Amino acid sequence: DIDIMIRPSTLENTKLFRYLEDGASGLLIPHVSTAKKAEYLVNSIKFPPIGDRGFDGSGLDSYFQIKGGYEYTEYANNETFLVVQIETIGGLEAANEIASTEGVDCIFIGTGDLGLRINKFSHELKLKESINKIAQAAKDHNKAWGRPVSNKDDIKLIEKVHQQGCRFMQLTYNNQSLLATGCYEKKDSGVTNFGREAIKEMNRVGIVIDMSHSAEQSTLDAIEISRSEEHTSELQSLVNLVCRLL
């Protein structure tokens, strides 16, 4: 039982909910900088009364009408999720409004893009302060949030950010990292020793492992490492496979 979260290449609403009809559990949308954009996304993938998603009821998500009907829409709203990425100055400044949007289930902090913009625009908040601000906004509105793991110092922060409400973390971004191989690399050497330690710590505290942008062997390694942890609960051992559609 592995949930599939898709990072779509389009924001066209009829294509967004088609991913859910085809069996995806959730969508990860980059560069959400305003509450208005968050509301548009909610309307695209949530059924009434939360959103304005079109009703089909004959897709894989409803087991081809076996679980169709109006009750199915409540199930779909509860069992599918929307993750929005805050990674711009606009998103940082609108973090509270974005987090308060009904139908937004989780916030992912894109530390790379956000850090770049903080540096280039000389923003008054540094990256660490910005992460804390977004995390607090998520906590205030009872939303989970996530972020990448980028260096060995971050292992020491895993338990701390979990206490702040972080519920999923990313191991690599396209290229080889200290933890795993990215999807753009020609050779996939899998999860590194440092990556194994990070995965074990995430399993220990209960953080979902986000393998978006990772290569195949690294993803399989993450699944196997999680399954081998004796203390890992069924929920904690889920590896979140993100299909990045280009």
Side-chain angles (χ1 to χ4, degrees):
D1 293 329
I2 297 177
D3 287 327
I4 302 296
M5 181 169 69
I6 291 178
R7 181 177 175 178
S9 58
T10 178
L11 293 183
E12 183 181 338
N13 65 341
T14 56
K15 291 184 178 180
L16 288 177
F17 68 70
R18 179 65 68 185
Y19 293 126
L20 303 179
E21 290 177 349
D22 289 342
S25 299
L27 301 181
L28 172 70
I29 309 295
H31 288 271
V32 176
S33 300
T34 65
K36 184 177 180 179
K37 186 172 182 179
E39 291 167 0
Y40 166 81
L41 295 168
V42 171
N43 278 330
S44 297
I45 71 170
K46 296 288 186 180
F47 287 112
I50 299 174
D52 195 35
R53 174 181 167 183
F55 179 72
D56 182 358
S58 60
L60 178 61
D61 60 336
S62 65
Y63 294 93
F64 307 106
Q65 294 188 334
I66 293 176
K67 292 186 177 181
Y70 292 154
E71 294 77 12
Y72 147 75
T73 63
E74 296 181 13
Y75 171 84
N77 278 347
N78 290 332
E79 295 300 319
T80 59
F81 56 90
L82 170 64
V83 183
V84 299
Q85 292 184 228
I86 293 182
E87 48 194 346
T88 65
I89 298 299
L92 171 62
E93 294 176 347
N96 189 64
E97 291 78 10
I98 293 171
S100 69
T101 303
E102 183 182 9
V104 170
D105 301 296
C106 184
I107 293 170
F108 186 82
I109 305 173
T111 53
D113 275 318
L114 183 57
L116 171 67
R117 285 155 177 77
I118 288 172
N119 177 270
K120 295 300 181 181
F121 294 111
S122 301
H123 195 269
E124 60 182 355
L125 295 181
K126 302 300 182 183
L127 181 58
K128 182 178 180 180
E129 297 169 322
S130 299
I131 292 172
N132 290 338
K133 177 182 177 179
I134 299 169
Q136 186 61 50
K139 182 178 180 180
D140 290 343
H141 297 284
N142 197 31
K143 303 291 173 70
W145 63 276
R147 56 159 294 178
V149 181
S150 56
N151 56 59
K152 292 186 177 181
D153 289 337
D154 285 345
I155 283 191
K156 303 174 185 177
L157 296 175
I158 289 175
E159 184 171 10
K160 180 179 179 180
V161 297
H162 178 267
Q163 293 170 351
Q164 290 179 301
C166 180
R167 290 299 179 269
F168 74 103
M169 300 185 79
Q170 186 181 78
L171 293 192
T172 185
Y173 187 84
N174 295 345
N175 299 310
Q176 181 71 43
S177 74
L178 293 174
L179 299 98
T181 305
C183 59
Y184 286 178
E185 297 288 349
K186 292 182 178 180
K187 182 179 180 181
D188 182 4
S189 55
V191 171
T192 66
N193 289 334
F194 168 48
R196 289 175 179 274
E197 294 304 311
I199 290 171
K200 290 178 181 179
E201 180 66 1
M202 282 185 253
N203 280 322
R204 185 184 71 82
V205 302
I207 290 180
V208 174
I209 302 156
D210 178 358
M211 297 304 294
S212 62
H213 307 278
S214 299
E216 180 179 3
Q217 187 58 52
S218 293
T219 301
L220 294 174
D221 286 351
I223 294 171
E224 187 59 36
I225 295 166
S226 294
R227 284 176 175 169
S228 67
E229 292 296 297
E230 293 181 0
H231 56 266
T232 300
S233 69
E234 181 179 355
L235 173 63
Q236 291 170 345
S237 66
L238 293 180
V239 176
N240 186 24
L241 300 180
V242 182
C243 302
R244 189 183 186 206
L245 301 185
L246 300 176

